[in-house]
Amino acid sequence: MRISYEWLSEFVNLDGVSPKEAAEVLTRLGIEVESLTMVDLSEIIVGKVLEQIPHPKSRNPLWVHQVDLGDRVVQIIAGAPNAIAGSLVPVALPGTTVPNGKLVKDMNIAGYKASGMLCSAEELLLGDDHSGIFILEAGKPGDPLTSVIPSQAILEAEGTSN
């Protein structure tokens, strides 16, 4: 099971206890912590989709988005149709490595420039859903994603039979 260190801290006082130390304590208590993943969202920013149109030249279903980043508008191409105009979305700009390890680059897709990536929950390591873009409930274009969702630590744990 996946346990968020931040969620755990809502039930147990973890002041002064690092995620690694918490994992060690859980293991001593009989909950085997198989891995500890630090999810750093500090390089991801909030964007607001201004426009979404079907990619006119792609053989595969793709969408061309105009995304407001606060100080500029960029064009980003995505394969998921759920980031409609008005949506607040997590954006990884070229040169950014998203939490799942993918490096974002400037691209040209079927004649259209793509300057960044709209991120799914899976790419941000915030869940297993990769079927669509992660839609945010709040945020301001150009702000770091951490202003809406804090970076966090995820513990993969399994209860032992003892």
Side-chain angles (χ1 to χ4, degrees):
M1 81 179 109
R2 295 178 72 162
I3 302 170
S4 163
Y5 173 82
E6 288 68 25
W7 173 81
L8 186 61
S9 71
E10 292 177 17
F11 300 98
V12 180
N13 183 357
L14 294 175
D15 289 341
V17 179
S18 72
K20 184 178 180 197
E21 292 167 332
E24 291 168 357
V25 169
L26 288 171
T27 299
R28 286 195 304 266
L29 293 173
I31 300 171
E32 183 180 340
V33 177
E34 297 170 355
S35 68
L36 171 63
T37 304
M38 300 304 291
V39 180
D40 180 9
L41 302 173
S42 64
E43 292 188 51
I44 313 299
I45 61 175
V46 176
K48 182 175 183 178
V49 176
L50 301 176
E51 177 183 55
Q52 176 198 53
I53 61 168
H55 192 302
K57 295 183 179 180
S58 177
R59 294 181 191 152
N60 300 319
L62 292 176
W63 302 90
V64 180
H65 298 86
Q66 300 302 318
V67 182
D68 177 9
L69 299 179
D71 61 347
R72 66 189 183 285
V73 174
V74 297
Q75 181 168 284
I76 300 175
I77 298 174
N82 68 313
I84 60 172
S87 299
L88 292 169
V89 293
V91 176
L93 294 174
T96 301
T97 300
V98 294
N100 77 347
K102 182 176 182 172
L103 175 65
V104 179
K105 300 177 184 175
D106 272 327
M107 299 184 76
N108 188 320
I109 301 173
Y112 280 70
K113 184 178 179 182
S115 296
M117 181 173 89
L118 305 181
C119 302
S120 71
E122 180 197 39
E123 290 159 339
L124 298 173
L125 299 179
L126 297 176
D128 296 328
D129 186 5
H130 64 276
S131 63
I133 306 305
F134 188 76
I135 304 299
L136 303 171
E137 298 291 324
K140 181 180 166 198
D143 283 354
L145 183 60
T146 54
S147 68
V148 180
I149 302 171
S151 292
Q152 51 191 288
I154 304 295
L155 304 137
E156 283 287 337
E158 185 176 318
T160 60
S161 58
N162 292 342

